[in-house]
Amino acid sequence: MVQRIKDKLPILEYASRFTEFKSRGDRSDEHVGHCPDPSHEDKGASFYVNSSKNLFHCHGCGISGNVIQLFAVLNGMDQEEAKFTLGRELGVFNERHLDGPEAMMSRAAGRFYDQLQKKDDALNYLTNVRCVSQESIERFGIGFCWGREFMDFTDVSQQRMAIDTGLAREDSGRSYMAGRIVFPVRDRGGRVVGFAGRLVPSEFKSNGPKYINSPDTAWFKKSELLYGAYEASAGISKAGSVVVVEGYLDVIGLHQAGVTNAVAVMGAFANDTTYKNLWDMTKRVVFCLDGDIAGSKGSMRAAMAAAPSMKDGCEISIAQLPEGMDPDEYVLKFGAEAFRSLCDRGVPLSRYLMESRSIDFDLNFPEGRAAFLAEANSVAENFGEAPMLREQIVAEARALNAAALVDFALKTTGLAENVEPRVLKDAIALLQRRLAMMTPAQEPANSAQEPQQRAPRP
């Protein structure tokens, strides 16, 4: 299979998706460009491809090999996983070689996809209401589950397998996703391991929750999976970051618009296992959540869930949408570049944590500022593996304290009346940024306290 992959996808063709190449001198088979590995900041062109040998080598970071090895590096996989993933993508891996449960899951996904084409209201909801293209339906394998797909098995072992894989319910034999639009969930190797389901909107009240996931099985572990991680692997490598959203249709809408590094958490919110999976793929994570109260609470939970696994060098920012707007609605209305810009303007983790908590303290007075600084130290201690981040969290709290003290002093002395509000706001924001960038040794003494001596009144 290795040779079939190399023949089907030459290394130069694959590497050219991520970097531009120039021919090297008079050697028409040798090409040079920047290393596509996001972890290698290649300031000079050190990545070489030999098209006749179908091999690559980076003189900067030392990686080398064939197209499978490069795919593995860029997608955070081992070589075996990369081989089967590429084999499936290129159509050179025969699904007959899957074991029983994997084959059943794969066939179920195909059957659900075919059934969607016959379910008019579900298809209408996807294409006309959520604006999902037929191309995206095919790419993500979206389908529909009637409910009787696994009730006609005469083989007891097949019935048992349908239950064990989470496809069928043990009590009734009906499909677990009965009556729902289904979204196949793939592991990072591209294997279908479970499904997410959504009820078709109807004027009649439907039973059960709007969204459900497959039950936990030997193949489907909700906390260990990210929806769209397989489909987003190339996009994450190219962007050097991952955008985490809440809904499956948000992921699909973003990919459809060209934001191909989007994934969704499989569950209510991120946990430490989620982050371990994210850090395997990239060191830069942007959470883009709804701008309402629920979205803000979700952002806070997601941010604090990073504490056990976050190390210095990892980055998290929070980008919040306008209230009442989902990611897929935003990108549909404003476009992919506007969405990327929104993510680029995301609030860094340290600032987000402190700004979110500062509203619980009265920073006009020394007692409130002291209590807020104690809270900052308490929050910082959760990030035991990231000493630089801990310092930054406390620095952000000191900056907020100082800005609040200046604001309070200007208002109480009446000086603020002589300054335009916009100028005052900009000055305080600048003070916050300057102080937040200071190291502890540079910080002014007693920044959280009242001045020790009052200046004489002019």
Side-chain angles (χ1 to χ4, degrees), residues 108 111-112 115 144-151 162 166-180 182 212:
R111 183 173 181 181
F112 293 151
Q115 290 173 176
F144 182 79
C145 177
W146 291 106
R148 296 191 57 88
E149 288 85 355
F150 310 102
M151 295 182 70
L167 290 169
R169 297 182 182 274
E170 187 157 18
D171 55 352
S172 64
R174 280 179 62 79
S175 300
Y176 197 86
M177 293 289 165
R180 283 179 161 80
V182 292
I212 63 171

Side-chain angles (χ1 to χ4, degrees), residues 365-400:
F365 299 98
E367 296 83 359
R369 293 193 293 276
F372 179 50
L373 194 56
E375 172 72 3
N377 280 289
S378 177
V379 171
E381 287 306 309
N382 290 293
F383 294 86
E385 299 296 317
M388 291 177 64
L389 178 63
R390 291 202 304 272
E391 290 182 8
Q392 189 62 31
I393 288 171
V394 176
E396 291 286 352
R398 292 187 185 279
L400 286 166

Side-chain angles (χ1 to χ4, degrees), residues 415-427:
L415 292 174
E417 298 174 4
N418 301 318
V419 182
E420 290 184 29
R422 178 183 58 80
V423 174
L424 184 61
K425 183 179 179 181
D426 289 345

Side-chain angles (χ1 to χ4, degrees), residues 3 29 38 53 63 117 121 135 148 218 252 287-288 294 325 334 381 386 405 414 425 431 448:
Q3 190 58 50
D29 62 342
K53 295 180 180 178
I63 60 172
Q117 309 306 313
D121 56 345
E135 182 181 355
R148 296 191 57 88
I252 293 165
F287 274 87
C288 185
M325 187 170 280
F334 299 110
E381 287 306 309
L405 180 59
K425 183 179 179 181
L431 175 64

